[in-house]
Each structure stands twice: as C-alpha cells, then as structure tokens.
Amino acid sequence: MKAANVAVALAPTKAITATDTGAAVNVADFSGLGVLVLNASAGTGTTPTSTVKLQHSDDGSTGWADTGHVFTAQAAVASHQSLLVNTDSLKKFVRVVNTLGGTTPGYSYGVTLVGNKQYA
C-alpha cells in the first residue's frame, strides 16, 4: 500500500448563526498521526462563543461519540488552531460539531484533516 499526505475538509468553510453539525466523512483510509486545522472568523453578536469538537461513528449515521478532540473555545476574535490526532484511534466516520452560544452569534469556520491516506 502507498501513502500520500492529503487534506480533506471535515467542515467546509461556511457562515453559521446556530449550532452546526457537519456531515459524516469516511476517514477509514487514514493511518497514523494527522492534524486537525480550524480556521474561524471573529464572532459577531453579543458575547458570542464557539466550541468546535470532533465526533466519530462506526456507520456514519448512528452511535456518534465525542473523540475528546476539542478546539479551544472562541469568542469575538478570529482563530487559527491545530490539534494532533491519531487517526488509527478514530472509527470509520467522523463529523465536526460547532456549538454556538451568546445572543445572535455568528461565525464563519472550516475544519480540515491533514494526514496520511493509504492507497492500494
């Protein structure tokens, strides 16, 4: 098997004004260490907060559980963060959950996984 360092969008960049639960992304072909990268705009609204975490599931539709990978909560400033993740410890599917707080919060954000993908 060959490996290639690739980036896959787990949460394509978008603007949100309420808690956002991303789509399931198959990461079964990744192996070893990877990096989760968060890029987020400054929050809008009154005392806005944004907490972004990673969840995983065996089938991509049920049994979602937190992986323990959580970015530092954001407030009214832009944020660029990264987290190291062992992709071997993840189930077949992952998704990103961004929980917003505050009064009329708004953020633009995106999350990318960079890691080694195995190819036949």
Side-chain angles (χ1 to χ4, degrees):
M1 302 222 14
K2 297 178 183 178
N5 204 15
V6 298
V8 64
L10 301 183
T13 301
K14 61 183 163 183
I16 60 171
T17 57
T19 294
D20 181 57
T21 300
V25 177
N26 186 335
V27 295
D29 291 336
F30 283 84
S31 69
L33 295 178
V35 178
L36 293 170
V37 179
L38 167 69
N39 285 299
S41 68
T44 60
T46 305
T47 61
T49 61
S50 168
T51 304
V52 180
K53 67 181 178 181
L54 189 68
Q55 293 185 326
H56 61 170
S57 163
D58 290 319
D59 63 11
S61 58
T62 62
W64 290 101
D66 293 347
T67 64
H69 298 93
V70 181
F71 291 98
T72 301
Q74 302 148 227
V77 296
S79 180
H80 176 81
Q81 300 179 45
S82 60
L83 295 172
L84 191 61
V85 59
N86 180 352
T87 61
D88 297 328
S89 69
L90 299 175
K91 296 179 181 178
K92 185 175 182 179
F93 293 92
V94 298
R95 70 180 181 187
V96 172
V97 178
N98 188 347
T99 304
L100 298 188
T103 304
T104 61
Y107 285 90
S108 290
Y109 85 107
V111 177
T112 303
L113 171 63
V114 180
N116 289 316
K117 191 169 185 180
Q118 302 296 314
Y119 294 94

